[in-house]
Amino acid sequence: MFQAPRGTQDILPQEQPYWLFIQNAAEATARLYGYERIDTPVFEEAGLFVRTVGVGTDIVEKEMYTFKDLGGGQLTLRPEGTAPVCRAYIERGMASLVQPVKLFYQAPIFRYERPQAGRFRQHHQFGFEAIGEGDAALDAELIDMAWRFFQELGLNKLTLQINSIGCPVCRPAYLAKLKEHYDEHREELCEDCKIRLDKNALRLLDCKKTSCQPLSELAPRSIDFLCVECSDHFSKLKSNLRILRLPFEINPGMVRGLDYYTKTVFEIQPEEERGQSTIAGGGRYDGLIEQLGGKHTPGVGFATGIERIILNLKKQNVNVPGLPKPSVFVVWMGEEAGKAAARMVGDLRAAGVSAVTAFTARSMKAQLRQADGTGCHFAAIIGAEELEQGFITLRDLRTAQQEPVDFSKLVDRVKITGIETL
RNA sequence: GUGGGUGUAGCCCAGAGGCCUAAGGCGUCAGGUUGUGGCCCUGAAGAUCGAGGGUUCAAAUCCCUCCACUCACCCCA
């Protein structure tokens, strides 16, 4: 027996209403803020991610699906969405469009991880990127859009955390201070953190180990070391968020797992949740485009995990609209009626009415059961008598009311009632 | 990568070494109505008891290995 690869899942029909609901909300929100859809390839040159996400990060170090194709190139299944969009921005000359360029996407994301609740090897993200504008007003607008998106979905009890991790001007001095601080307490650090100290000191801040937490609380905070530009940027962000009435918290310990972030970083997560519960995360990446060989171009964006949103929709018992079922089930008895039924189903469909029927001669009981099971609103019954006199018996499966309807009037009759949704 | 839990029909699950030729419920299919669904009744199909090995006269049940799922750590959406 074949099984779906570890950490992947089939999205079954019963799950699809959630997906459609979220997709609709995301697209509506994107439109509201002037974002246009972009789709980039599922795989890219491995170097794109190695260079931007960062050599020392978990994603690059141990989570990428990288393979050699028949041409010998090293390709990687997209482990995150921002770098490909930036690549496309440069490659497709979007610098010559009106700035900022606002793009959104829905994309499968691949990371080789141990699966658990809300974590998969293939998951799906909606991502939003605004490239070509460095002002904090854009950061605030982006965060506002993320927030509105979740409101739109009906998710409550969310928290918004922000931080600023500086830029290449001010970060070196901060990192030096940070290392100094942790170096003094090297012996108290957990094993992982000792390694982090040399490789990526920022990561020390969000170690959850109880032994490391006191040290992190005493650690110097990046927001105290910001250069004038970053500091002004952060102030404007906070002020704009207040204007927009977004309830944010400053979390000086929040860092993100990708190296390209500058200045603003933020996360949205459900209250009273910890661990892998973050439903949206993002920030500014002012150096990314340049790093990829483009002109210096600021950018800011965020991504949200669809599977985690669904998890929360279910946890919060949010009602999502159901998908439409077929409207009419054509029941037939006898070979001749079967032919008429086939024609009738065709006519209904041609008129835009969703219709289904039985493929083999089955008892009326069986056909009506099937009609019931498929969720049809009507059963259009055609047997010897109907055939002879040119009408069908239209049964409303919810009220069990029946009426004779002329062949020629069937389409109009069921159209008036409208296509039913569950 | 590290630790814990769990694997019996499509789904939920009983079963704790011989009475298991593996029970029940949901679902599916059929019948109870010569042309009428949802409720009820009857019947049928559907399980190499996750895989492999071992212990035993005897294994779904005990032991070992592997695999998968799941939860947590790590990290992230």
Side-chain angles (χ1 to χ4, degrees):
Chain A
M1 282 280 278
F2 287 109
Q3 286 179 297
R6 181 153 207 210
T8 67
Q9 43 182 7
D10 301 309
I11 305 164
L12 301 172
Q14 67 216 32
E15 290 296 306
Q16 295 293 346
Y18 286 97
W19 287 77
L20 194 67
F21 177 61
I22 293 166
Q23 282 157 2
N24 287 341
E27 289 186 20
T29 306
R31 222 179 347 268
L32 218 46
Y33 288 77
Y35 284 68
E36 296 187 292
R37 174 143 182 168
I38 185 170
D39 290 282
T40 64
V42 170
F43 53 82
E44 297 269 359
E45 279 181 52
L48 174 65
F49 301 113
V50 176
R51 282 256 290 282
T52 57
V53 173
V55 178
T57 59
D58 276 13
I59 290 179
V60 167
E61 218 163 56
K62 49 193 186 193
E63 296 181 351
M64 295 210 304
Y65 280 92
T66 297
F67 61 98
K68 195 183 281 185
D69 75 358
L70 294 177
Q74 289 288 319
L75 301 173
T76 297
L77 261 33
R78 169 177 46 216
E80 68 99 28
T82 301
V85 169
C86 288
R87 191 223 79 231
Y89 176 91
I90 298 167
E91 186 179 350
R92 309 300 174 191
M94 293 189 219
S96 62
L97 301 175
V98 173
Q99 306 292 303
V101 176
K102 293 173 160 182
L103 301 167
F104 80 99
Y105 54 85
Q106 180 189 349
I109 301 288
F110 304 87
R111 292 180 201 160
Y112 186 84
E113 305 191 80
R114 273 302 270 282
Q116 64 180 285
R119 200 175 75 180
F120 310 95
R121 288 186 175 176
Q122 177 182 349
H123 76 279
H124 302 262
Q125 294 184 355
F126 262 107
F128 300 79
E129 315 286 349
I131 303 171
E133 171 59 64
D135 197 279
L138 177 56
D139 306 36
E141 186 194 76
L142 180 88
I143 293 172
D144 179 57
M145 174 169 66
W147 195 257
R148 188 183 301 277
F149 172 54
F150 292 120
Q151 304 259 288
E152 191 69 28
L153 290 173
L155 283 182
N156 298 312
K157 295 183 220 145
L158 301 177
T159 62
L160 164 62
Q161 304 197 335
I162 65 169
N163 192 23
S164 178
I165 57 171
C167 70
V169 173
C170 49
R171 200 180 304 157
Y174 170 62
L175 280 179
K177 273 279 188 232
L178 193 63
K179 278 189 182 167
E180 201 177 292
H181 166 76
Y182 280 111
D183 238 345
E184 283 168 18
H185 304 276
R186 188 176 263 275
E187 292 318 307
E188 300 159 48
L189 292 171
C190 69
E191 288 310 307
D192 288 338
C193 280
K194 284 178 186 161
I195 297 166
R196 288 191 187 113
L197 186 51
D198 299 318
K199 262 172 46 184
N200 193 345
L202 271 184
R203 296 231 65 85
L204 284 156
L205 285 171
D206 69 347
C207 182
K208 278 96 182 170
K209 293 244 164 56
T210 48
S211 55
C212 295
Q213 291 216 327
L215 284 178
S216 295
E217 276 165 34
L218 295 172
R221 311 187 309 171
S222 59
I223 47 177
D224 295 328
F225 288 80
L226 298 178
C227 60
V228 175
E229 186 188 321
C230 288
S231 173
D232 287 351
H233 187 95
F234 195 48
S235 298
K236 182 162 184 188
L237 171 65
K238 287 183 288 188
S239 136
N240 278 38
L241 289 177
R242 284 190 199 104
I243 291 169
L244 294 166
R245 295 204 184 87
L246 293 183
F248 64 89
E249 299 165 21
I250 296 168
N251 177 355
M254 185 179 67
V255 296
R256 311 229 65 242
L258 297 86
D259 282 356
Y260 53 62
Y261 285 114
T262 55
K263 294 180 180 165
T264 309
V265 292
F266 72 96
E267 287 184 7
I268 293 175
Q269 45 187 270
E271 271 172 27
E272 301 164 22
E273 294 286 339
R274 292 174 45 252
Q276 47 295 318
S277 61
T278 301
I279 54 175
R284 184 159 274 286
Y285 44 86
D286 288 347
L288 184 49
I289 302 270
E290 197 170 7
Q291 195 181 354
L292 288 174
K295 283 195 305 185
H296 174 76
T297 309
V300 60
F302 80 95
T304 173
I306 299 177
E307 285 84 351
R308 285 190 187 171
I309 292 175
I310 293 174
L311 221 54
N312 282 283
L313 287 173
K314 287 178 178 171
K315 212 177 282 179
Q316 296 191 15
N317 287 317
V318 175
N319 264 327
V320 308
L323 263 23
K325 302 284 191 183
S327 295
V328 183
F329 191 104
V330 180
V331 174
W332 53 274
M333 300 296 289
E335 200 179 318
E336 284 309 307
K339 291 176 189 168
R343 210 174 304 120
M344 196 174 296
V345 168
D347 290 347
L348 285 164
R349 289 173 181 158
V353 178
S354 60
V356 290
T357 188
F359 297 105
T360 57
R362 305 176 70 196
S363 70
M364 175 169 272
K365 184 197 196 86
Q367 291 187 61
L368 280 168
R369 269 192 193 144
Q370 193 179 350
D372 196 45
T374 52
C376 288
H377 188 161
F378 293 109
I381 302 164
I382 175 163
E385 189 189 344
E386 286 88 349
L387 196 60
E388 198 175 305
Q389 295 176 38
F391 72 97
I392 56 96
T393 299
L394 188 68
R395 181 179 179 83
D396 185 318
L397 289 170
R398 308 196 177 174
T399 62
Q401 300 290 308
Q402 293 193 172
E403 59 181 302
V405 176
D406 261 31
F407 274 4
S408 57
K409 302 224 173 87
L410 176 61
V411 168
D412 287 336
R413 173 63 185 81
V414 296
K415 250 190 161 174
I416 287 162
T417 314
I419 291 174
E420 289 299 313
T421 58
L422 183 74

